Amino acid sequence: DPVITIGYGPDFAVLRSDGVRLDIPNMVTELQDEIEGAGVSGGGHLVVGSIKFVSGMREPVIDALVEKMEAAEIDEDLRSTLLRDDD
């Protein structure tokens, strides 16, 4: 099943997805444009990446990030983890 895992702290978020096209570099660019003064930076790939931001702006950044994750395209062929064939 498609799943997104997010870990976050006072000034960062780490994202990993299986089956979801997050496009983290694009999310970073959008957050930079949308949230003035948040100091958003970071990057990664379609399924894994990290984002840094000003700790005082955590709530608006995480809220906007969640909205972007909710709108992300499902693509079950994209994986951040290795699948083993145990046959």
Side-chain angles (χ1 to χ4, degrees):
D1 290 335
V3 64
I4 299 171
T5 303
I6 180 170
Y8 58 92
D11 64 350
F12 70 92
V14 179
L15 309 170
R16 180 177 296 269
S17 70
D18 284 323
V20 183
R21 183 179 295 273
L22 290 181
D23 195 353
I24 295 161
N26 186 56
M27 286 181 166
V28 168
T29 300
E30 289 176 354
L31 290 168
Q32 288 169 336
D33 293 342
E34 294 169 6
I35 307 175
E36 188 175 330
V40 174
S41 64
H45 304 282
L46 290 177
V47 294
V48 64
S50 62
I51 299 173
K52 298 244 336 140
F53 46 84
V54 174
S55 61
M57 297 295 286
R58 177 176 137 178
E59 187 172 335
V61 171
I62 296 297
D63 288 348
L65 190 56
V66 168
E67 287 180 17
K68 293 181 184 312
M69 289 186 291
E70 288 174 345
E73 177 185 338
I74 301 297
D75 183 344
E76 294 185 17
D77 292 332
L78 286 175
R79 304 202 68 78
S80 63
T81 57
L82 177 65
L83 292 179
R84 290 183 38 187
D85 185 5
D86 292 331
D87 291 339

